[in-house]
Amino acid sequence: MSLQVEKLEHNMAKLTIEVAPEELEKAIQKVYQKTKNRISVPGFRKGKVPRQIVEKMYGKEVFYEDAANELVPDAYEKALEECEENIVSSPKIAVTQLEAGKPFIFTAEVALKPEVKLGKYKGVKVDKQVVTVTEEEINAEVDKERESNARTVEVEGRAIENGDIVTIDFEGFVDGEAFEGGKGENYPLTIGSGAFIPGFEEQLIGKNKDDAVDVNVTFPEDYHAEELKGKAALFQVAVKEIKVKELPDADDEFASEVSEFETLAEYKEDIRKKLTEKKEKEAKSAKEAAVVDAIIADADMDIPEAMLETQQRQIVDEFAQRVQMQGLSIEQYFQITGTDAQKMMEQVKPQAEKRIKSRLVLEAIVAAEGIRATEEDYEKEIASMAEVYNMEADKVKEMLGDNEKAKKQMMDDLAVTKAAQFVVSEAKEA
């Protein structure tokens, strides 16, 4: 294999990769062996058709595309190892020569890591982060716990009010015809939650248990079901049950039931402590973000579009993994939200750009200040991860890929973290 690198504008490069003719021949033969059992030619049993016969019938190029797909990944990987440039994007591959008996040649257009010209990064001025916890915030946390420990009790002798939980049967009609998904039985609905079409819940207020109610609504223009957008609908609703949420009193007894403390005062003091710790952590992150933003604003770098696209794709892939953990495929998510991959790529573009620029300026500071991660830093990080995942340190290393490449990546990440800590420590609060 041979490699040529041509520098292009805007931190792009074209790699021209040449693979020896004998390697192409091996790939063609491999593809033939994989596919011969599916090839039918009169006069030959399946799987017994000689390659020369297949190529004569279908053309010599019949195996070329699959052979190229066999060769490109490995050849590109070897080119990356040989290339001295710092490549920061997925490649755009184009085949330039593919013919048996000749070298296989393809190009890979890639983004190169941009050079960063740092401006001021020491003594950056940022707003002071003031951490306060109010009594209202503490009470709000207590009320959340009361909500989670609430019980529902059936209401007798009064009509539906806002906030009630009603059990209903319903069926919806558009132009006198029932529509798909418009029917439900024993459905629990919290009045005022906005779970149903605008105007639906309000029309149940004042109704009583066992009432039959006609609810008239209009589907929003942006409703997810195309055939219902903007349509007037009638829902026939039967009120079966009215319940109200009953919250426990905020007192010492409640505190002792939901916490390790005997009194409400002690419980509230613990909430204050936890809220303070949370806000201090948020303030620290906000200060770091403000410092890095200021450094980015004073730095100069030319981000190649291919690098940005690769980062956008990575963010979308990360989101897809999180959605999958909740039991949805990304395709189902797109259908529910009415978006698609291209729209999401555009939505995450500012986030991708910020992520790239933050990393680049911090890496530049690592180089400028000679910041390095030590073996001790590495072992501490492994031990910390082992504690989080409740695993042995060796198992964590194994999970991460206990090799020099994986270790170097982690050491680079730790050095970047140190650079962030350095610029924050050097910053001045206004």
Side-chain angles (χ1 to χ4, degrees):
M1 189 212 77
S2 68
L3 169 68
Q4 289 182 345
V5 180
E6 179 190 353
K7 297 279 188 75
L8 306 174
E9 292 183 331
H10 302 300
N11 293 308
M12 295 295 290
K14 183 164 77 173
L15 313 183
T16 300
I17 301 161
E18 184 175 312
V19 180
E22 53 269 27
E23 292 301 316
L24 175 58
E25 172 56 31
K26 284 181 190 175
I28 292 172
Q29 183 63 18
K30 185 177 179 181
V31 172
Y32 161 70
Q33 292 292 343
K34 275 185 181 178
T35 58
K36 66 180 183 179
N37 289 332
R38 301 197 300 269
I39 299 170
S40 296
V41 172
F44 292 91
R45 283 184 297 150
K46 260 192 178 182
K48 300 297 181 182
V49 187
R51 179 178 143 191
Q52 297 91 323
I53 300 295
V54 178
E55 289 175 337
K56 190 173 182 181
M57 288 190 67
Y58 297 102
K60 292 183 84 173
E61 303 83 8
V62 65
F63 300 120
Y64 282 5
E65 185 178 345
D66 288 339
N69 290 336
E70 285 280 341
L71 287 171
V72 166
D74 187 50
Y76 178 71
E77 199 61 38
K78 287 177 181 173
L80 285 185
E81 291 171 12
E82 187 178 319
C83 184
E84 294 178 358
E85 302 295 337
N86 196 335
I87 294 168
V88 290
S89 76
S90 302
K92 288 185 179 176
I93 302 292
V95 174
T96 58
Q97 181 170 290
L98 177 52
E99 186 179 340
K102 293 183 180 180
F104 169 55
I105 304 172
F106 68 96
T107 61
E109 195 169 304
V110 293
L112 303 180
K113 182 179 175 180
E115 180 188 349
V116 177
K117 292 179 182 174
L118 288 169
K120 182 176 181 180
Y121 64 89
K122 290 191 229 182
V124 173
K125 289 183 180 179
V126 291
D127 292 336
K128 185 169 183 168
Q129 301 286 328
V130 180
V131 173
T132 56
V133 175
T134 67
E135 201 64 31
E136 288 77 13
E137 289 171 320
I138 294 168
N139 289 334
E141 291 298 311
V142 173
D143 288 342
K144 277 185 198 173
E145 195 61 40
R146 289 173 69 210
E147 281 279 350
S148 65
N149 284 274
R151 64 192 185 101
T152 54
V153 293
E154 193 166 353
V155 173
E156 298 288 349
R158 74 158 172 82
I160 296 170
E161 295 177 1
N162 197 38
D164 286 350
I165 303 162
V166 296
T167 302
I168 59 172
D169 291 343
F170 63 88
E171 185 169 16
F173 301 86
V174 171
D175 297 328
E177 296 288 331
F179 57 87
E180 188 178 349
K183 187 175 183 179
E185 292 182 353
N186 296 316
Y187 190 94
L189 174 64
T190 300
I191 304 299
S193 65
F196 271 32
I197 303 158
F200 185 103
E201 294 164 28
E202 293 85 340
Q203 292 179 56
L204 296 182
I205 293 173
K207 307 303 179 186
N208 292 284
K209 182 180 175 181
D210 299 327
D211 279 357
V213 188
D214 283 348
V215 174
N216 291 285
V217 292
T218 300
F219 283 97
E221 292 293 341
D222 60 352
Y223 194 67
H224 62 85
E226 190 68 36
E227 67 278 7
L228 296 176
K229 286 182 178 180
K231 294 286 182 69
L234 165 69
F235 281 87
Q236 293 177 347
V237 181
V239 180
K240 301 180 76 174
E241 198 173 51
I242 306 171
K243 287 186 175 181
V244 66
K245 193 181 283 187
E246 196 173 81
L247 275 61
D249 292 333
D251 54 20
D252 291 347
E253 184 182 351
F254 165 73
S256 66
E257 287 176 356
V258 300
S259 74
E260 59 189 281
F261 304 100
E262 293 300 317
T263 68
L264 182 62
E266 290 173 309
Y267 177 46
K268 281 187 168 185
E269 190 53 40
D270 184 63
I271 290 173
R272 183 188 297 278
K273 181 184 173 185
K274 286 175 179 172
L275 282 176
T276 302
E277 287 172 356
K278 182 187 174 193
K279 285 193 169 192
E280 284 174 346
K281 190 175 179 181
E282 289 170 349
K284 185 180 176 183
S285 295
K287 182 179 179 181
E288 182 180 310
V291 171
V292 173
D293 282 348
I295 294 169
I296 289 170
D298 205 29
D300 186 38
M301 65 197 98
D302 181 10
I303 308 295
E305 195 64 30
M307 184 183 189
L308 191 55
E309 284 176 13
T310 298
Q311 188 64 244
Q312 286 170 264
R313 210 169 292 114
Q314 184 177 325
I315 293 171
V316 171
D317 288 345
E318 288 167 3
F319 180 79
Q321 288 172 9
R322 291 196 298 272
V323 167
Q324 196 168 11
M325 287 172 71
Q326 296 169 8
L328 279 178
S329 69
I330 193 66
E331 290 76 19
Q332 288 170 320
Y333 174 83
F334 288 152
Q335 190 175 8
I336 291 166
T337 58
T339 187
D340 56 36
Q342 194 53 48
K343 285 179 186 172
M344 184 168 278
M345 283 280 284
E346 204 54 41
Q347 286 166 5
V348 303
K349 193 171 184 177
Q351 182 187 348
E353 188 173 3
K354 172 76 183 295
R355 191 185 280 191
I356 289 169
K357 287 183 175 180
S358 297
R359 179 79 184 199
L360 287 175
V361 296
L362 289 172
E363 285 177 345
I365 291 163
V366 165
E369 293 292 326
I371 297 169
R372 296 288 179 270
T374 63
E375 280 293 326
E376 186 182 356
D377 294 327
Y378 174 71
E379 293 299 335
K380 275 184 181 176
E381 183 66 14
I382 292 293
S384 176
M385 292 175 73
E387 189 176 341
V388 169
Y389 292 114
N390 196 22
M391 296 168 68
E392 296 294 327
D394 288 344
K395 289 289 181 186
V396 173
K397 289 179 182 179
E398 190 180 315
M399 179 182 74
L400 294 172
D402 191 12
N403 54 54
E404 283 307 309
K405 188 176 179 182
K407 184 176 179 179
K408 182 182 181 304
Q409 181 61 56
M410 183 176 280
M411 296 285 269
D412 289 346
D413 291 344
L414 289 170
V416 164
T417 300
K418 281 187 161 187
Q421 292 166 350
F422 170 75
V423 293
V424 169
S425 69
E426 291 284 318
K428 295 176 181 176
E429 290 184 326

